[in-house]
Amino acid sequence: MTSQIDKAKAFHALHVKGDPVVLYNIWDPGSAAIVAKAGAKAIATGSWPVAAAFGFADGEKIPLDLALYNIRRIVAATDLPVTMDLEGGYGVEPEAVAATVTRALAEGVIGFNFEDQIVGGSGLHDIAVQVKRIAAAADAVKASGIPAFINARTDIFLKAKPDEHSDTLVDAAIERAEAYAKAGAHGFFAPGLGNEALIGKLCKAVSLPVNIIALAHVPPKAKLAELGVARISYGPVPYRQMAEWLEAKARAAFE
């Protein structure tokens, strides 16, 4: 059985600019086992799929205790590194974020996504506020002794339609990435961004490995690798496709 520390180190090593690790997001032990069997190098949950699988809406609506119980069962179901989508850390204050991170690490995860949007509100946390929150998460990671991977997410591009993405938004994202890196983040997640030129600009300017989500308007893996992406995730896409398939099959059975 690989130790949590070794899994965390291995997960860090998977992030290579130009040779992206692919994370096909799952939501429970069963889906984790299926994706692992398919050849995954690591397992990643998505907040939307996990919440939906338990009958909740996204946005920290699923109780933290339940989310942690679920991740504990996922970790127990695979020997692969498991990273968890912690959304906004289940709290605004740095102390609350640190407590959530500590609890997640105790369940065996070796990394987590941490977003800068105001959960339950609108807009993004100011950079100064988010930096303190990331620093608190980094301190909790250090105190745990587990070299967990903090994937700092910005919701800049999700807050705007794809045709509204611009150099100005990328410049704002770069500013956040630099600040988040200094605060202790290990990766920078820019979900929603799909324009090739803008992805290339972001990857070139940011020192952290960049994570792009494989949505319909996003270039294929080979192009993302060429642009310098280090991590490709799928977010809610697998769950939604599974749900559509299940509904179609159920409708056919009921006819």
Side-chain angles (χ1 to χ4, degrees):
M1 198 70 155
T2 309
S3 74
Q4 189 177 2
I5 290 176
D6 287 339
K7 289 179 184 179
K9 291 178 178 178
F11 188 66
H12 274 269
L14 291 174
H15 294 75
V16 179
K17 288 195 173 189
D19 185 18
V21 58
V22 176
L23 299 177
Y24 202 75
N25 298 77
I26 56 85
W27 50 91
D28 64 7
S31 56
I34 292 169
V35 170
K37 185 178 180 181
K41 294 181 179 179
I43 297 297
T45 63
S47 65
W48 195 98
V50 169
F54 282 96
F56 295 92
D58 197 16
E60 297 183 3
K61 299 299 183 183
I62 182 172
L64 179 58
D65 286 346
L66 180 54
L68 292 174
Y69 168 73
N70 185 54
I71 202 69
R72 182 191 317 148
R73 294 176 65 240
I74 292 170
V75 169
T78 178
D79 198 38
L80 291 174
V82 177
T83 181
M84 181 181 185
D85 189 342
L86 277 182
E87 301 192 73
Y90 280 78
V92 174
E93 296 303 319
E95 295 79 9
V97 172
T100 299
V101 168
T102 298
R103 292 186 66 188
L105 293 172
E107 301 297 353
V109 304
I110 49 72
F112 50 89
N113 286 353
F114 182 51
E115 62 200 43
D116 60 9
Q117 72 168 321
I118 300 172
V119 178
S122 61
L124 311 181
H125 289 291
D126 289 339
I127 292 179
V129 172
Q130 188 65 3
V131 161
K132 290 179 180 178
R133 301 172 79 235
I134 292 173
D139 286 344
V141 165
K142 185 177 181 179
S144 74
I146 306 299
F149 191 102
I150 303 173
N151 199 33
R153 167 179 144 174
T154 184
D155 283 68
I156 285 177
F157 302 106
L158 288 179
K159 298 294 184 181
K161 297 178 181 178
D163 60 4
E164 296 174 344
H165 294 173
S166 63
D167 285 306
T168 300
L169 285 185
V170 171
D171 289 340
I174 291 170
E175 180 184 7
R176 284 182 176 264
E178 291 174 346
Y180 297 171
K182 291 179 181 177
H186 304 106
F188 187 65
F189 187 17
L193 184 61
N195 179 278
E196 288 186 15
L198 297 180
I199 291 174
K201 177 179 178 178
L202 181 67
C203 291
K204 185 176 181 180
V206 175
S207 60
L208 296 174
V210 172
N211 180 184
I212 296 294
I213 191 169
L215 299 175
H217 66 286
V218 173
K221 177 184 176 182
K223 175 55 68 173
L224 290 177
E226 182 183 317
L227 294 171
V229 172
R231 173 169 167 170
I232 300 171
S233 53
Y234 279 75
V237 174
Y239 184 91
R240 287 174 174 168
Q241 291 177 338
M242 180 278 301
E244 290 171 1
W245 175 88
L246 183 60
E247 182 179 352
K249 291 295 183 180
R251 287 184 183 279
F254 297 147
E255 288 178 354

